[in-house]
Amino acid sequence: MAFESSEIVEFFTGKTILLTGGTGFLGKALIQKILNSCPEVGKIFVLIRDKRNQCPAARLKNLLNEPIFEELKTLQPNFHEKVEAIPGDISIPKLGICCSDLEVLQKNVSIIIHSAATVRFNSPLKEALNINLQGTGRLLEMATEMKLLQAFVHVSTAFSNCEWSLVEEKIYPVEVTPQDALYFVNNLNDKLLESISPSLIKDKPNTYTFSKQLTETLIDQWKAKLPICIVRPSVITATEKDPIPGFADNFAAMSGVLAGVMTGCIHALHLNDEFRIDIIPLDYVVNLILAATYRLGKTEERSNLQIYNLSSCENSFNCKTLNGTFEQSCYKNPVSKMMTYPYAYLITNRTVFKLCCFYFHRVPAMFFDAVAGIMGKEKLCMPIYKKVAESIDVLEYFTVNKWTFKSDSTKALYNSLSPQDKSVFNFNVQDIDWDSYVVDYASGVRKYALKETNQHQGGKKRLLQLRVFDLCLKLLPVLPIILVFLC
């Protein structure tokens, strides 16, 4: 849907965009939003690599048939003609782009949105640095040959400087320069590099945040050569409303936690003493990226690197307040894949948390696998439990700690927009109603991640059965006391 009075829509009219990370959660939402709100955009080139014996063109075709594009198919039946796959890989020299495709990009691209990254927190250091740092360097080199370039938007993370409790919209000093890090990547063998990883990342919780901070430093070194800005979202979660309320089609980060609670795989969460998690809806991130692209394209001044933090710390997502709302939505429309009764204990003490993980996660998994063994069936619960435990461990740093993210530049950008653009490209976190958001988020995870599109009558029957089992499990520790009392 186009809006003639929108300055952002007008800016994107006729523009050719190069998008990296286009097949990811954020990337597909960017494609959808650009095509839906800026239908007169010239072209979107999406850098895509071969994967699982699928060529880039086939992967793009499958991508454009995903649920997030359903509304667009009705409004613009030929929208796919504006999107074209560019075979390439951010992790290899020159991005693996052939000469003819490179020539097309150099002649036509005016906007680069770089969202490609390895987002696995525990990636080997070499992999994280090669993709996140060196891959960005390769794209920056390529961008210098794009004569029409007006904007290069790099998508980072609000946690790139997570060792600081107060994170401002600035570049923080690093002890290891990007160039030194790349020297290690390209000259040390994998075993040696992994052995020195702890001394390199120091206070960082993982290789992901370490590589993202170094990438920001690299971007800062290029600010005089290219029109660049950085967008730093916190944990990206389901959409608030655009294009689908609660859209979440993967199990990354918080979506995986919610799916774990909904299916009864997760019952204990370790949180900070304020029960606060900093999350931001996907559509807010998309809208900020597009607004930042517009602002950068209209700005001649390059001496300062513009950085935009996008965080919910001023409109906090409070797990304790919202837990009841979420659980009720699980009971109202239960999933059919439940292992145990769905609920979550929010715990601030680590020792208590570990005890709860053992009793409410590991014990049921061992019980169900024991029953499966007796019945001659495959034991599936413990492998699932181990994956769940690994996911919880990886996220724990971000759920236990608290941050304040300054967002003066983000607020100034939003306040500078026209009323029409504020409506179409909203990223004002004060507008988020977390109560309704949680309900939509649960529905979205159920439908798009767990692939349960129908109301399951069997789900409610199973919910009752699991409730009985859960009560028995909770009574088990006090059963000896009851027996002694009765005797």
Side-chain angles (χ1 to χ4, degrees):
M1 185 174 181
F3 298 86
E4 293 181 2
S5 60
S6 166
E7 295 175 20
I8 295 178
V9 171
E10 183 180 343
F11 172 75
F12 278 93
T13 298
K15 295 292 194 299
T16 298
I17 302 168
L18 173 61
L19 173 65
T20 70
T23 58
F25 186 50
L26 175 59
K28 68 180 73 172
L30 277 164
I31 295 171
Q32 190 281 334
K33 181 67 176 185
I34 293 169
L35 293 174
N36 190 48
S37 297
C38 311
E40 299 305 315
V41 67
K43 195 84 171 179
I44 303 176
F45 289 112
V46 185
L47 187 71
I48 305 178
R49 61 188 173 91
D50 292 333
K51 189 176 182 180
R52 298 192 186 103
N53 298 319
Q54 273 197 328
C55 68
R59 290 187 67 197
L60 180 62
K61 183 178 179 181
N62 292 337
L63 176 75
L64 299 181
N65 281 317
E66 291 187 10
I68 195 171
F69 296 100
E70 284 302 315
E71 180 187 10
L72 199 57
K73 289 179 183 177
T74 303
L75 297 174
Q76 302 176 45
N78 298 320
F79 76 92
H80 59 277
E81 295 176 359
K82 297 234 174 185
V83 190
E84 183 176 329
I86 294 291
D89 188 337
I90 203 80
S91 67
I92 60 179
K94 298 183 179 180
L95 308 183
I97 299 176
C98 70
C99 293
S100 58
D101 285 341
L102 185 58
E103 186 177 349
V104 170
L105 297 178
Q106 290 172 344
K107 287 182 178 179
N108 297 284
V109 169
S110 52
I111 297 168
I112 297 175
I113 301 177
H114 179 38
S115 70
T118 175
V119 295
R120 288 196 302 131
F121 291 157
N122 54 356
S123 293
L125 182 60
K126 188 166 190 173
E127 178 184 327
L129 290 175
N130 180 43
I131 295 175
N132 295 347
L133 176 59
Q134 194 160 22
T136 301
R138 296 177 182 118
L139 188 59
L140 289 166
E141 291 282 357
M142 182 181 296
T144 60
E145 301 299 322
M146 296 177 180
K147 307 305 179 186
L148 301 178
L149 189 67
Q150 291 180 267
F152 185 121
V153 180
H154 173 70
V155 182
S156 186
T157 171
F159 301 103
S160 56
N161 304 285
C162 56
E163 65 271 34
W164 299 86
S165 59
L166 174 65
V167 180
E168 300 180 52
E169 293 169 311
K170 67 178 186 180
I171 296 296
Y172 283 77
V174 293
E175 293 187 25
V176 179
T177 67
Q179 289 71 29
D180 287 342
L182 290 179
Y183 176 84
F184 295 146
V185 168
N186 296 320
N187 292 278
L188 301 183
N189 62 52
D190 294 357
K191 186 176 181 180
L192 181 56
L193 186 58
E194 285 305 307
S195 69
I196 66 171
S197 289
S199 62
L200 291 176
I201 68 175
K202 293 189 175 179
D203 294 333
K204 289 283 195 289
N206 50 51
T207 57
Y208 170 72
T209 54
F210 175 68
S211 64
K212 294 299 272 187
Q213 184 188 35
L214 287 180
T215 303
E216 289 188 359
T217 302
L218 180 66
I219 292 286
D220 188 49
Q221 294 172 355
W222 282 76
K223 66 186 178 187
K225 302 176 185 177
L226 294 169
I228 312 177
C229 71
I230 296 174
V231 173
R232 289 180 181 158
S234 60
V235 179
I236 303 176
T237 51
T239 55
E240 185 205 28
K241 64 178 181 179
D242 191 13
I244 308 165
F247 176 77
D249 63 350
N250 59 64
F251 299 107
M254 285 305 299
S255 297
V257 172
L258 292 191
V261 175
M262 292 167 70
T263 55
C265 294
I266 295 177
H267 292 297
L269 296 174
H270 191 196
L271 300 172
N272 56 64
D273 58 4
E274 294 180 8
F275 300 96
R276 175 164 61 88
I277 299 178
D278 204 305
I279 64 174
I280 201 76
L282 173 64
D283 42 344
Y284 279 55
V285 181
V286 168
N287 291 340
L288 173 58
I289 290 171
L290 299 183
T293 303
Y294 151 74
R295 176 62 64 219
L296 183 61
K298 292 289 187 178
T299 303
E300 297 294 332
E301 175 63 39
R302 294 187 190 175
S303 59
N304 295 318
L305 176 64
Q306 201 67 62
I307 299 173
Y308 301 99
N309 287 344
L310 187 59
S311 152
S312 61
C313 65
E314 294 184 9
N315 179 17
S316 298
F317 181 90
N318 188 295
C319 295
K320 189 174 185 179
T321 304
L322 297 166
N323 190 37
T325 304
F326 173 68
E327 288 184 349
Q328 286 304 313
S329 69
C330 293
Y331 304 149
K332 185 177 179 180
N333 194 14
V335 300
S336 63
K337 300 181 178 74
M338 285 180 291
M339 289 180 60
T340 61
Y341 192 71
Y343 58 86
Y345 291 120
L346 308 180
I347 302 163
T348 57
N349 182 283
R350 182 172 174 78
T351 302
V352 175
F353 169 69
K354 288 299 181 182
L355 288 172
C356 287
C357 283
F358 175 79
Y359 191 72
F360 292 110
H361 296 168
R362 192 177 187 92
V363 170
M366 291 189 296
F367 173 79
F368 287 129
D369 274 355
V371 172
I374 293 170
M375 298 176 66
K377 294 183 179 180
E378 187 178 359
K379 298 179 181 180
L380 299 174
C381 292
M382 279 305 293
I384 292 174
Y385 160 75
K386 289 177 181 177
K387 288 182 180 179
V388 167
E390 183 180 334
S391 298
I392 292 174
D393 287 344
V394 167
L395 285 172
E396 188 176 6
Y397 179 88
F398 302 96
T399 60
V400 170
N401 291 295
K402 296 176 289 186
W403 291 268
T404 298
F405 297 100
K406 300 291 287 184
S407 56
D408 294 342
S409 295
T410 302
K411 291 174 185 175
L413 174 58
Y414 178 78
N415 291 331
S416 72
L417 300 180
S418 68
Q420 188 67 275
D421 282 334
K422 285 180 180 178
S423 174
V424 180
F425 301 95
N426 184 27
F427 51 91
N428 180 14
V429 295
Q430 299 295 340
D431 293 339
I432 303 172
D433 178 355
W434 291 117
D435 283 294
S436 60
Y437 179 80
V438 164
V439 175
D440 290 337
Y441 199 170
S443 297
V445 168
R446 184 185 190 280
K447 182 175 181 179
Y448 300 108
L450 293 171
K451 311 295 185 187
E452 296 202 4
T453 56
N454 300 317
Q455 301 287 333
H456 288 283
Q457 293 300 321
K460 294 194 174 182
K461 182 179 178 181
R462 181 161 175 75
L463 188 70
L464 180 60
Q465 294 170 340
L466 292 174
R467 177 60 171 159
V468 173
F469 173 81
D470 181 66
L471 288 172
C472 293
L473 182 67
K474 289 175 180 176
L475 285 172
L476 194 60
V478 298
L479 187 59
I481 300 173
I482 296 173
L483 291 175
V484 168
F485 179 77
L486 291 175
C487 294

